[in-house]
Amino acid sequence: METIDITGLPLPVSRVGLGTWAIGGWMWGGSDDNRAIRTIQAAVDQGITLIDTAPVYGFGRSEELVGRALEADGRRDRAIIATKCGLEWRDGKVYRNSSPRRIRQEVEDSLRRLRTDRIDLYQVHWPDPTVPIQETAATLRQLRREGKIHAIGVSNYTVEQMKVFRDIAPIHTVQPPYNLFERAAEDEILPYAVDHGIAVLAYGALCRGLLAGSITATTKFAGDDLRRTDPKFHQPRLNQYLAAVTAFDRFARKRFGKPVIALAVRWILDRGKTVALWGARRPEQLEPVVDVMGWSIDNEGMQEIERILVETVKDPIGPEFMAPPQTSDMRAVA
Ligand code: NAP
């Protein structure tokens, strides 16, 4: 397992982190507790040290499962728990709240659910325009002084918002959407992170499964699975993305002897001081992680990837549909 060091964290951080949103079940058509626990344990047992979760994932369920999974056999000491704050929910509706009062409440709830006395990495999940960023930053700075959290991260923040935050408290990690199909982070966030020594935790590394290579035009998603409303999964766009996946897979196998899932994640790792957050809810979904390690994509390979993208995805669309509403507007999702 390749690793990087991130200031403030007690262990080297594996370059693939486990994402546990789907494990919470909510917006993913449900999940199975026992399988989820086995997935988290399998991740740690194969050297994945970073486990990314959030209170909102299943409204506490994901954190609870992470806590239960890590409690057994000393896994807590081999794992870095990254959780988040700043989203609130009422009657299943989610909205932003990064007020000091909300964060103080959340940190206690998370520590209890996670069955731990410290959160290794605490990240603001979404910027909340109704609360001054300085207040949010000062709250995290204080929690760090108290030893409840060790390192600080932000997610879905712009560079401007990060600058304001960093006047008050350090930022050790930033978590934007970033994968072969969602690259807005390249404009400003990645260069800013490089300049300021901030590690990038790339979320949606598999573009919600598209880049895993097993989704087809006839794949059906159950219940509240977000891919039912994700514009990438609707025709005619879906066929463009699937054509890209097919071309990537052919190229990756011929050139590197690897499947598309390994190419997609390796591509993220070859873009800087990055960690790819890989969402999984079944242990076997993590088996291909080993294919990602120990090689890299050369310049020619990078150029071929660009060529494939331009040739196949004529009408790209980003992940903006996932943004949660602000306090005054409780219509949408997280
Ligand atoms: P993702 O990693 O792009 O995709 C996850 C999905 O890919 C899985 O649920 C699974 O779908 C499929 N998959 C995984 N391994 C596979 C394999 N070996 N073969 C076939 N399919 C496979 O999506 P994500 O979970 O949204 O993103 C990763 C993590 O990033 C999240 O869990 C969360 O920790 C973080 N995240 C953060 C934010 C934020 O706002 N900060 C937003 C989104 C995500 P099925 O289980 O349906 O097969």
Side-chain angles (χ1 to χ4, degrees), residues 19-22 28 52 57 84 125-126 155-156 175 203-209 212 214 227 261 277-279 281 285 288:
T20 65
W21 183 12
W28 287 85
D52 183 73
Y57 297 165
K84 312 191 186 83
H125 205 150
W126 281 85
S155 180
N156 301 300
Q175 187 177 141
Y203 80 64
L206 305 174
C207 203
R208 298 170 290 290
S214 47
R227 291 167 291 190
I261 191 168
L277 296 180
W278 179 315
R281 50 182 157 181
Q285 288 175 328

PDB file of all heavy atoms in Angstrom, residues 19-22 28 52 57 84 125-126 155-156 175 203-209 212 214 227 261 277-279 281 285 288, ligand 1:
ATOM      1  N   GLY A  19     -14.293   5.050   1.421  1.00  0.00           N
ATOM      2  CA  GLY A  19     -15.438   5.958   1.547  1.00  0.00           C
ATOM      3  C   GLY A  19     -16.649   5.177   2.029  1.00  0.00           C
ATOM      4  O   GLY A  19     -16.965   4.117   1.477  1.00  0.00           O
ATOM      5  N   THR A  20     -17.321   5.695   3.042  1.00  0.00           N
ATOM      6  CA  THR A  20     -18.395   4.908   3.678  1.00  0.00           C
ATOM      7  C   THR A  20     -19.778   5.558   3.545  1.00  0.00           C
ATOM      8  O   THR A  20     -20.654   5.319   4.370  1.00  0.00           O
ATOM      9  CB  THR A  20     -18.086   4.660   5.173  1.00  0.00           C
ATOM     10  OG1 THR A  20     -18.085   5.929   5.843  1.00  0.00           O
ATOM     11  CG2 THR A  20     -16.755   3.965   5.369  1.00  0.00           C
ATOM     12  N   TRP A  21     -19.945   6.368   2.504  1.00  0.00           N
ATOM     13  CA  TRP A  21     -21.279   6.959   2.297  1.00  0.00           C
ATOM     14  C   TRP A  21     -22.302   5.844   1.995  1.00  0.00           C
ATOM     15  O   TRP A  21     -23.353   5.755   2.632  1.00  0.00           O
ATOM     16  CB  TRP A  21     -21.202   7.979   1.153  1.00  0.00           C
ATOM     17  CG  TRP A  21     -22.485   8.709   0.874  1.00  0.00           C
ATOM     18  CD1 TRP A  21     -23.616   8.724   1.660  1.00  0.00           C
ATOM     19  CD2 TRP A  21     -22.763   9.554  -0.258  1.00  0.00           C
ATOM     20  NE1 TRP A  21     -24.575   9.527   1.070  1.00  0.00           N
ATOM     21  CE2 TRP A  21     -24.085  10.049  -0.090  1.00  0.00           C
ATOM     22  CE3 TRP A  21     -22.029   9.951  -1.374  1.00  0.00           C
ATOM     23  CZ2 TRP A  21     -24.669  10.908  -1.029  1.00  0.00           C
ATOM     24  CZ3 TRP A  21     -22.623  10.809  -2.296  1.00  0.00           C
ATOM     25  CH2 TRP A  21     -23.928  11.281  -2.126  1.00  0.00           C
ATOM     26  N   ALA A  22     -21.981   4.978   1.042  1.00  0.00           N
ATOM     27  CA  ALA A  22     -22.931   3.922   0.662  1.00  0.00           C
ATOM     28  C   ALA A  22     -23.235   2.979   1.834  1.00  0.00           C
ATOM     29  O   ALA A  22     -24.342   2.447   1.953  1.00  0.00           O
ATOM     30  CB  ALA A  22     -22.384   3.127  -0.519  1.00  0.00           C
ATOM     31  N   TRP A  28     -28.305   5.433  -1.378  1.00  0.00           N
ATOM     32  CA  TRP A  28     -27.634   4.353  -2.103  1.00  0.00           C
ATOM     33  C   TRP A  28     -28.511   3.105  -2.132  1.00  0.00           C
ATOM     34  O   TRP A  28     -28.007   1.988  -2.286  1.00  0.00           O
ATOM     35  CB  TRP A  28     -26.268   4.038  -1.472  1.00  0.00           C
ATOM     36  CG  TRP A  28     -25.261   5.110  -1.757  1.00  0.00           C
ATOM     37  CD1 TRP A  28     -25.075   6.265  -1.070  1.00  0.00           C
ATOM     38  CD2 TRP A  28     -24.324   5.152  -2.841  1.00  0.00           C
ATOM     39  NE1 TRP A  28     -24.074   7.020  -1.637  1.00  0.00           N
ATOM     40  CE2 TRP A  28     -23.594   6.350  -2.732  1.00  0.00           C
ATOM     41  CE3 TRP A  28     -24.017   4.283  -3.894  1.00  0.00           C
ATOM     42  CZ2 TRP A  28     -22.592   6.715  -3.640  1.00  0.00           C
ATOM     43  CZ3 TRP A  28     -23.012   4.640  -4.794  1.00  0.00           C
ATOM     44  CH2 TRP A  28     -22.314   5.848  -4.660  1.00  0.00           C
ATOM     45  N   ASP A  52     -13.112   7.292   5.626  1.00  0.00           N
ATOM     46  CA  ASP A  52     -13.843   8.561   5.537  1.00  0.00           C
ATOM     47  C   ASP A  52     -15.332   8.317   5.770  1.00  0.00           C
ATOM     48  O   ASP A  52     -15.947   7.486   5.103  1.00  0.00           O
ATOM     49  CB  ASP A  52     -13.639   9.186   4.150  1.00  0.00           C
ATOM     50  CG  ASP A  52     -14.320  10.547   4.040  1.00  0.00           C
ATOM     51  OD1 ASP A  52     -13.809  11.510   4.649  1.00  0.00           O
ATOM     52  OD2 ASP A  52     -15.370  10.645   3.364  1.00  0.00           O
ATOM     53  N   TYR A  57     -24.203  10.466   6.660  1.00  0.00           N
ATOM     54  CA  TYR A  57     -24.288   9.220   5.883  1.00  0.00           C
ATOM     55  C   TYR A  57     -25.158   8.213   6.640  1.00  0.00           C
ATOM     56  O   TYR A  57     -24.703   7.542   7.576  1.00  0.00           O
ATOM     57  CB  TYR A  57     -22.898   8.629   5.616  1.00  0.00           C
ATOM     58  CG  TYR A  57     -21.975   9.502   4.776  1.00  0.00           C
ATOM     59  CD1 TYR A  57     -20.610   9.255   4.711  1.00  0.00           C
ATOM     60  CD2 TYR A  57     -22.473  10.571   4.028  1.00  0.00           C
ATOM     61  CE1 TYR A  57     -19.760  10.050   3.941  1.00  0.00           C
ATOM     62  CE2 TYR A  57     -21.632  11.370   3.259  1.00  0.00           C
ATOM     63  CZ  TYR A  57     -20.284  11.103   3.229  1.00  0.00           C
ATOM     64  OH  TYR A  57     -19.445  11.892   2.470  1.00  0.00           O
ATOM     65  N   LYS A  84     -16.877  14.295   9.541  1.00  0.00           N
ATOM     66  CA  LYS A  84     -17.193  15.656   9.078  1.00  0.00           C
ATOM     67  C   LYS A  84     -18.208  16.310  10.003  1.00  0.00           C
ATOM     68  O   LYS A  84     -18.785  15.673  10.873  1.00  0.00           O
ATOM     69  CB  LYS A  84     -17.752  15.599   7.647  1.00  0.00           C
ATOM     70  CG  LYS A  84     -16.913  14.743   6.701  1.00  0.00           C
ATOM     71  CD  LYS A  84     -17.319  14.900   5.252  1.00  0.00           C
ATOM     72  CE  LYS A  84     -16.560  13.917   4.377  1.00  0.00           C
ATOM     73  NZ  LYS A  84     -17.134  12.577   4.329  1.00  0.00           N
ATOM     74  N   HIS A 125     -18.034  19.722   6.086  1.00  0.00           N
ATOM     75  CA  HIS A 125     -18.563  18.969   4.940  1.00  0.00           C
ATOM     76  C   HIS A 125     -18.892  19.883   3.754  1.00  0.00           C
ATOM     77  O   HIS A 125     -18.524  19.598   2.612  1.00  0.00           O
ATOM     78  CB  HIS A 125     -19.799  18.192   5.389  1.00  0.00           C
ATOM     79  CG  HIS A 125     -20.104  16.982   4.587  1.00  0.00           C
ATOM     80  ND1 HIS A 125     -20.723  15.880   5.117  1.00  0.00           N
ATOM     81  CD2 HIS A 125     -19.885  16.679   3.282  1.00  0.00           C
ATOM     82  CE1 HIS A 125     -20.872  14.952   4.180  1.00  0.00           C
ATOM     83  NE2 HIS A 125     -20.364  15.423   3.060  1.00  0.00           N
ATOM     84  N   TRP A 126     -19.603  20.965   4.012  1.00  0.00           N
ATOM     85  CA  TRP A 126     -19.958  21.938   2.969  1.00  0.00           C
ATOM     86  C   TRP A 126     -19.864  23.328   3.573  1.00  0.00           C
ATOM     87  O   TRP A 126     -20.209  23.515   4.738  1.00  0.00           O
ATOM     88  CB  TRP A 126     -21.402  21.711   2.471  1.00  0.00           C
ATOM     89  CG  TRP A 126     -21.539  20.578   1.504  1.00  0.00           C
ATOM     90  CD1 TRP A 126     -21.699  19.249   1.814  1.00  0.00           C
ATOM     91  CD2 TRP A 126     -21.512  20.650   0.071  1.00  0.00           C
ATOM     92  NE1 TRP A 126     -21.768  18.503   0.665  1.00  0.00           N
ATOM     93  CE2 TRP A 126     -21.674  19.335  -0.422  1.00  0.00           C
ATOM     94  CE3 TRP A 126     -21.379  21.694  -0.843  1.00  0.00           C
ATOM     95  CZ2 TRP A 126     -21.690  19.038  -1.789  1.00  0.00           C
ATOM     96  CZ3 TRP A 126     -21.406  21.398  -2.201  1.00  0.00           C
ATOM     97  CH2 TRP A 126     -21.552  20.089  -2.665  1.00  0.00           C
ATOM     98  N   SER A 155     -14.247  20.502   2.953  1.00  0.00           N
ATOM     99  CA  SER A 155     -14.738  19.797   1.774  1.00  0.00           C
ATOM    100  C   SER A 155     -15.682  20.723   1.017  1.00  0.00           C
ATOM    101  O   SER A 155     -16.453  21.460   1.647  1.00  0.00           O
ATOM    102  CB  SER A 155     -15.475  18.534   2.216  1.00  0.00           C
ATOM    103  OG  SER A 155     -15.954  17.829   1.097  1.00  0.00           O
ATOM    104  N   ASN A 156     -15.606  20.677  -0.288  1.00  0.00           N
ATOM    105  CA  ASN A 156     -16.484  21.488  -1.143  1.00  0.00           C
ATOM    106  C   ASN A 156     -16.266  22.988  -0.938  1.00  0.00           C
ATOM    107  O   ASN A 156     -17.148  23.790  -1.231  1.00  0.00           O
ATOM    108  CB  ASN A 156     -17.956  21.129  -0.908  1.00  0.00           C
ATOM    109  CG  ASN A 156     -18.231  19.661  -1.193  1.00  0.00           C
ATOM    110  OD1 ASN A 156     -18.023  19.203  -2.305  1.00  0.00           O
ATOM    111  ND2 ASN A 156     -18.674  18.915  -0.186  1.00  0.00           N
ATOM    112  N   GLN A 175     -11.226  18.269   0.531  1.00  0.00           N
ATOM    113  CA  GLN A 175     -11.918  17.138  -0.094  1.00  0.00           C
ATOM    114  C   GLN A 175     -12.893  17.656  -1.165  1.00  0.00           C
ATOM    115  O   GLN A 175     -14.015  18.023  -0.857  1.00  0.00           O
ATOM    116  CB  GLN A 175     -12.664  16.322   0.984  1.00  0.00           C
ATOM    117  CG  GLN A 175     -13.253  15.056   0.415  1.00  0.00           C
ATOM    118  CD  GLN A 175     -13.953  14.141   1.413  1.00  0.00           C
ATOM    119  OE1 GLN A 175     -14.971  13.564   1.093  1.00  0.00           O
ATOM    120  NE2 GLN A 175     -13.411  13.982   2.610  1.00  0.00           N
ATOM    121  N   TYR A 203     -12.921  12.870  -3.694  1.00  0.00           N
ATOM    122  CA  TYR A 203     -14.127  12.060  -3.457  1.00  0.00           C
ATOM    123  C   TYR A 203     -14.803  11.656  -4.761  1.00  0.00           C
ATOM    124  O   TYR A 203     -14.630  12.318  -5.779  1.00  0.00           O
ATOM    125  CB  TYR A 203     -15.063  12.722  -2.444  1.00  0.00           C
ATOM    126  CG  TYR A 203     -15.997  13.846  -2.833  1.00  0.00           C
ATOM    127  CD1 TYR A 203     -17.045  13.674  -3.745  1.00  0.00           C
ATOM    128  CD2 TYR A 203     -15.922  15.078  -2.179  1.00  0.00           C
ATOM    129  CE1 TYR A 203     -17.949  14.694  -4.025  1.00  0.00           C
ATOM    130  CE2 TYR A 203     -16.818  16.105  -2.445  1.00  0.00           C
ATOM    131  CZ  TYR A 203     -17.837  15.903  -3.376  1.00  0.00           C
ATOM    132  OH  TYR A 203     -18.724  16.904  -3.640  1.00  0.00           O
ATOM    133  N   GLY A 204     -15.555  10.526  -4.669  1.00  0.00           N
ATOM    134  CA  GLY A 204     -16.184   9.998  -5.881  1.00  0.00           C
ATOM    135  C   GLY A 204     -15.144   9.469  -6.853  1.00  0.00           C
ATOM    136  O   GLY A 204     -15.265   9.618  -8.070  1.00  0.00           O
ATOM    137  N   ALA A 205     -14.111   8.816  -6.325  1.00  0.00           N
ATOM    138  CA  ALA A 205     -12.994   8.383  -7.170  1.00  0.00           C
ATOM    139  C   ALA A 205     -13.456   7.515  -8.339  1.00  0.00           C
ATOM    140  O   ALA A 205     -12.857   7.536  -9.418  1.00  0.00           O
ATOM    141  CB  ALA A 205     -11.976   7.618  -6.320  1.00  0.00           C
ATOM    142  N   LEU A 206     -14.546   6.776  -8.129  1.00  0.00           N
ATOM    143  CA  LEU A 206     -15.046   5.884  -9.192  1.00  0.00           C
ATOM    144  C   LEU A 206     -16.235   6.501  -9.919  1.00  0.00           C
ATOM    145  O   LEU A 206     -16.925   5.825 -10.683  1.00  0.00           O
ATOM    146  CB  LEU A 206     -15.445   4.528  -8.591  1.00  0.00           C
ATOM    147  CG  LEU A 206     -14.348   3.823  -7.794  1.00  0.00           C
ATOM    148  CD1 LEU A 206     -14.893   2.565  -7.128  1.00  0.00           C
ATOM    149  CD2 LEU A 206     -13.171   3.474  -8.713  1.00  0.00           C
ATOM    150  N   CYS A 207     -16.466   7.796  -9.667  1.00  0.00           N
ATOM    151  CA  CYS A 207     -17.624   8.485 -10.251  1.00  0.00           C
ATOM    152  C   CYS A 207     -18.908   7.675 -10.000  1.00  0.00           C
ATOM    153  O   CYS A 207     -19.656   7.349 -10.912  1.00  0.00           O
ATOM    154  CB  CYS A 207     -17.417   8.781 -11.730  1.00  0.00           C
ATOM    155  SG  CYS A 207     -18.475  10.148 -12.280  1.00  0.00           S
ATOM    156  N   ARG A 208     -19.086   7.355  -8.733  1.00  0.00           N
ATOM    157  CA  ARG A 208     -20.276   6.618  -8.265  1.00  0.00           C
ATOM    158  C   ARG A 208     -20.447   5.279  -8.970  1.00  0.00           C
ATOM    159  O   ARG A 208     -21.551   4.849  -9.266  1.00  0.00           O
ATOM    160  CB  ARG A 208     -21.519   7.513  -8.354  1.00  0.00           C
ATOM    161  CG  ARG A 208     -21.373   8.753  -7.453  1.00  0.00           C
ATOM    162  CD  ARG A 208     -22.391   9.802  -7.614  1.00  0.00           C
ATOM    163  NE  ARG A 208     -22.347  10.542  -8.843  1.00  0.00           N
ATOM    164  CZ  ARG A 208     -21.400  11.428  -9.188  1.00  0.00           C
ATOM    165  NH1 ARG A 208     -20.396  11.668  -8.363  1.00  0.00           N
ATOM    166  NH2 ARG A 208     -21.451  12.056 -10.346  1.00  0.00           N
ATOM    167  N   GLY A 209     -19.314   4.664  -9.258  1.00  0.00           N
ATOM    168  CA  GLY A 209     -19.316   3.308  -9.812  1.00  0.00           C
ATOM    169  C   GLY A 209     -19.112   3.256 -11.311  1.00  0.00           C
ATOM    170  O   GLY A 209     -18.729   2.221 -11.852  1.00  0.00           O
ATOM    171  N   ALA A 212     -15.842   1.950 -12.386  1.00  0.00           N
ATOM    172  CA  ALA A 212     -15.494   0.584 -11.963  1.00  0.00           C
ATOM    173  C   ALA A 212     -15.587  -0.379 -13.132  1.00  0.00           C
ATOM    174  O   ALA A 212     -15.001  -1.465 -13.116  1.00  0.00           O
ATOM    175  CB  ALA A 212     -16.397   0.132 -10.821  1.00  0.00           C
ATOM    176  N   SER A 214     -18.319  -1.959 -14.406  1.00  0.00           N
ATOM    177  CA  SER A 214     -19.360  -3.005 -14.479  1.00  0.00           C
ATOM    178  C   SER A 214     -20.755  -2.460 -14.748  1.00  0.00           C
ATOM    179  O   SER A 214     -21.693  -3.229 -14.931  1.00  0.00           O
ATOM    180  CB  SER A 214     -19.336  -3.861 -13.208  1.00  0.00           C
ATOM    181  OG  SER A 214     -19.290  -3.035 -12.081  1.00  0.00           O
ATOM    182  N   ARG A 227     -28.095   7.456  -8.099  1.00  0.00           N
ATOM    183  CA  ARG A 227     -27.788   7.329  -9.516  1.00  0.00           C
ATOM    184  C   ARG A 227     -29.055   7.341 -10.371  1.00  0.00           C
ATOM    185  O   ARG A 227     -28.984   7.524 -11.576  1.00  0.00           O
ATOM    186  CB  ARG A 227     -26.930   6.079  -9.738  1.00  0.00           C
ATOM    187  CG  ARG A 227     -25.533   6.308  -9.125  1.00  0.00           C
ATOM    188  CD  ARG A 227     -24.729   5.063  -9.015  1.00  0.00           C
ATOM    189  NE  ARG A 227     -25.255   4.137  -8.031  1.00  0.00           N
ATOM    190  CZ  ARG A 227     -24.614   3.051  -7.616  1.00  0.00           C
ATOM    191  NH1 ARG A 227     -23.414   2.789  -8.091  1.00  0.00           N
ATOM    192  NH2 ARG A 227     -25.142   2.241  -6.722  1.00  0.00           N
ATOM    193  N   ILE A 261     -10.845   0.229 -13.623  1.00  0.00           N
ATOM    194  CA  ILE A 261     -10.967   0.710 -12.230  1.00  0.00           C
ATOM    195  C   ILE A 261      -9.584   1.095 -11.679  1.00  0.00           C
ATOM    196  O   ILE A 261      -9.431   2.105 -10.983  1.00  0.00           O
ATOM    197  CB  ILE A 261     -11.686  -0.355 -11.352  1.00  0.00           C
ATOM    198  CG1 ILE A 261     -12.076   0.220  -9.993  1.00  0.00           C
ATOM    199  CG2 ILE A 261     -10.863  -1.620 -11.182  1.00  0.00           C
ATOM    200  CD1 ILE A 261     -13.037  -0.673  -9.196  1.00  0.00           C
ATOM    201  N   LEU A 277     -10.642   8.526  -2.500  1.00  0.00           N
ATOM    202  CA  LEU A 277     -11.668   7.937  -1.625  1.00  0.00           C
ATOM    203  C   LEU A 277     -12.513   6.988  -2.459  1.00  0.00           C
ATOM    204  O   LEU A 277     -13.210   7.409  -3.383  1.00  0.00           O
ATOM    205  CB  LEU A 277     -12.530   9.036  -0.994  1.00  0.00           C
ATOM    206  CG  LEU A 277     -11.787   9.975  -0.050  1.00  0.00           C
ATOM    207  CD1 LEU A 277     -12.744  11.025   0.517  1.00  0.00           C
ATOM    208  CD2 LEU A 277     -11.095   9.220   1.083  1.00  0.00           C
ATOM    209  N   TRP A 278     -12.437   5.728  -2.128  1.00  0.00           N
ATOM    210  CA  TRP A 278     -13.047   4.639  -2.898  1.00  0.00           C
ATOM    211  C   TRP A 278     -14.259   4.157  -2.095  1.00  0.00           C
ATOM    212  O   TRP A 278     -14.101   3.576  -1.019  1.00  0.00           O
ATOM    213  CB  TRP A 278     -12.000   3.547  -3.044  1.00  0.00           C
ATOM    214  CG  TRP A 278     -12.334   2.291  -3.763  1.00  0.00           C
ATOM    215  CD1 TRP A 278     -13.469   1.528  -3.651  1.00  0.00           C
ATOM    216  CD2 TRP A 278     -11.491   1.593  -4.701  1.00  0.00           C
ATOM    217  NE1 TRP A 278     -13.378   0.421  -4.458  1.00  0.00           N
ATOM    218  CE2 TRP A 278     -12.175   0.435  -5.105  1.00  0.00           C
ATOM    219  CE3 TRP A 278     -10.213   1.836  -5.214  1.00  0.00           C
ATOM    220  CZ2 TRP A 278     -11.634  -0.480  -6.004  1.00  0.00           C
ATOM    221  CZ3 TRP A 278      -9.680   0.923  -6.104  1.00  0.00           C
ATOM    222  CH2 TRP A 278     -10.377  -0.211  -6.504  1.00  0.00           C
ATOM    223  N   GLY A 279     -15.438   4.408  -2.611  1.00  0.00           N
ATOM    224  CA  GLY A 279     -16.653   3.982  -1.913  1.00  0.00           C
ATOM    225  C   GLY A 279     -16.875   2.495  -2.104  1.00  0.00           C
ATOM    226  O   GLY A 279     -16.807   1.984  -3.220  1.00  0.00           O
ATOM    227  N   ARG A 281     -19.124  -1.050  -0.204  1.00  0.00           N
ATOM    228  CA  ARG A 281     -19.982  -1.576   0.878  1.00  0.00           C
ATOM    229  C   ARG A 281     -19.968  -3.094   0.933  1.00  0.00           C
ATOM    230  O   ARG A 281     -20.694  -3.704   1.697  1.00  0.00           O
ATOM    231  CB  ARG A 281     -21.403  -1.058   0.722  1.00  0.00           C
ATOM    232  CG  ARG A 281     -21.993  -1.234  -0.656  1.00  0.00           C
ATOM    233  CD  ARG A 281     -23.386  -0.657  -0.726  1.00  0.00           C
ATOM    234  NE  ARG A 281     -23.769  -0.325  -2.078  1.00  0.00           N
ATOM    235  CZ  ARG A 281     -24.929   0.214  -2.396  1.00  0.00           C
ATOM    236  NH1 ARG A 281     -25.805   0.482  -1.448  1.00  0.00           N
ATOM    237  NH2 ARG A 281     -25.214   0.502  -3.649  1.00  0.00           N
ATOM    238  N   GLN A 285     -15.457  -5.639  -3.184  1.00  0.00           N
ATOM    239  CA  GLN A 285     -15.273  -4.433  -4.002  1.00  0.00           C
ATOM    240  C   GLN A 285     -13.883  -3.820  -3.809  1.00  0.00           C
ATOM    241  O   GLN A 285     -13.434  -3.023  -4.626  1.00  0.00           O
ATOM    242  CB  GLN A 285     -16.348  -3.395  -3.665  1.00  0.00           C
ATOM    243  CG  GLN A 285     -17.733  -3.793  -4.185  1.00  0.00           C
ATOM    244  CD  GLN A 285     -18.820  -2.824  -3.761  1.00  0.00           C
ATOM    245  OE1 GLN A 285     -18.749  -2.232  -2.685  1.00  0.00           O
ATOM    246  NE2 GLN A 285     -19.822  -2.660  -4.613  1.00  0.00           N
ATOM    247  N   PRO A 288      -9.755  -5.021  -6.075  1.00  0.00           N
ATOM    248  CA  PRO A 288      -8.893  -4.405  -7.096  1.00  0.00           C
ATOM    249  C   PRO A 288      -7.970  -3.301  -6.582  1.00  0.00           C
ATOM    250  O   PRO A 288      -7.174  -2.767  -7.362  1.00  0.00           O
ATOM    251  CB  PRO A 288      -9.887  -3.811  -8.110  1.00  0.00           C
ATOM    252  CG  PRO A 288     -11.242  -4.308  -7.740  1.00  0.00           C
ATOM    253  CD  PRO A 288     -11.189  -4.742  -6.306  1.00  0.00           C
TER     254      PRO A 288
HETATM  255  P1  NAP B   1     -17.431   6.220  -5.667  1.00  0.00           P
HETATM  256  O1  NAP B   1     -16.314   5.862  -4.797  1.00  0.00           O
HETATM  257  O2  NAP B   1     -17.139   6.986  -6.883  1.00  0.00           O
HETATM  258  O3  NAP B   1     -18.280   4.928  -6.083  1.00  0.00           O
HETATM  259  C1  NAP B   1     -18.702   4.036  -5.092  1.00  0.00           C
HETATM  260  C2  NAP B   1     -19.483   2.920  -5.731  1.00  0.00           C
HETATM  261  O4  NAP B   1     -18.744   2.297  -6.766  1.00  0.00           O
HETATM  262  C3  NAP B   1     -19.758   1.803  -4.755  1.00  0.00           C
HETATM  263  O5  NAP B   1     -20.817   2.069  -3.886  1.00  0.00           O
HETATM  264  C4  NAP B   1     -20.037   0.646  -5.689  1.00  0.00           C
HETATM  265  O6  NAP B   1     -21.385   0.738  -6.138  1.00  0.00           O
HETATM  266  C5  NAP B   1     -19.087   0.936  -6.833  1.00  0.00           C
HETATM  267  N1  NAP B   1     -17.882   0.110  -6.696  1.00  0.00           N
HETATM  268  C6  NAP B   1     -16.916   0.203  -5.759  1.00  0.00           C
HETATM  269  N2  NAP B   1     -15.976  -0.750  -5.939  1.00  0.00           N
HETATM  270  C7  NAP B   1     -16.389  -1.477  -6.991  1.00  0.00           C
HETATM  271  C8  NAP B   1     -15.856  -2.606  -7.646  1.00  0.00           C
HETATM  272  N3  NAP B   1     -14.710  -3.175  -7.268  1.00  0.00           N
HETATM  273  N4  NAP B   1     -16.523  -3.104  -8.716  1.00  0.00           N
HETATM  274  C9  NAP B   1     -17.672  -2.533  -9.135  1.00  0.00           C
HETATM  275  N5  NAP B   1     -18.239  -1.453  -8.536  1.00  0.00           N
HETATM  276  C10 NAP B   1     -17.600  -0.932  -7.485  1.00  0.00           C
HETATM  277  O7  NAP B   1     -18.553   7.061  -4.896  1.00  0.00           O
HETATM  278  P2  NAP B   1     -18.738   7.682  -3.482  1.00  0.00           P
HETATM  279  O8  NAP B   1     -18.936   6.607  -2.462  1.00  0.00           O
HETATM  280  O9  NAP B   1     -19.772   8.716  -3.652  1.00  0.00           O
HETATM  281  O10 NAP B   1     -17.377   8.440  -3.172  1.00  0.00           O
HETATM  282  C11 NAP B   1     -16.376   7.882  -2.352  1.00  0.00           C
HETATM  283  C12 NAP B   1     -16.402   8.517  -0.972  1.00  0.00           C
HETATM  284  O11 NAP B   1     -16.133   9.916  -1.071  1.00  0.00           O
HETATM  285  C13 NAP B   1     -17.750   8.455  -0.243  1.00  0.00           C
HETATM  286  O12 NAP B   1     -18.046   7.171   0.265  1.00  0.00           O
HETATM  287  C14 NAP B   1     -17.519   9.510   0.806  1.00  0.00           C
HETATM  288  O13 NAP B   1     -16.685   8.999   1.831  1.00  0.00           O
HETATM  289  C15 NAP B   1     -16.784  10.586  -0.003  1.00  0.00           C
HETATM  290  N6  NAP B   1     -17.715  11.599  -0.554  1.00  0.00           N
HETATM  291  C16 NAP B   1     -17.671  12.829  -0.003  1.00  0.00           C
HETATM  292  C17 NAP B   1     -18.513  13.832  -0.452  1.00  0.00           C
HETATM  293  C18 NAP B   1     -18.425  15.192   0.146  1.00  0.00           C
HETATM  294  O14 NAP B   1     -19.292  16.041  -0.077  1.00  0.00           O
HETATM  295  N7  NAP B   1     -17.391  15.453   0.919  1.00  0.00           N
HETATM  296  C19 NAP B   1     -19.424  13.587  -1.494  1.00  0.00           C
HETATM  297  C20 NAP B   1     -19.421  12.302  -2.066  1.00  0.00           C
HETATM  298  C21 NAP B   1     -18.559  11.331  -1.589  1.00  0.00           C
HETATM  299  P3  NAP B   1     -22.439  -0.414  -5.736  1.00  0.00           P
HETATM  300  O15 NAP B   1     -22.211  -0.679  -4.272  1.00  0.00           O
HETATM  301  O16 NAP B   1     -23.765   0.117  -6.060  1.00  0.00           O
HETATM  302  O17 NAP B   1     -22.036  -1.611  -6.580  1.00  0.00           O
END
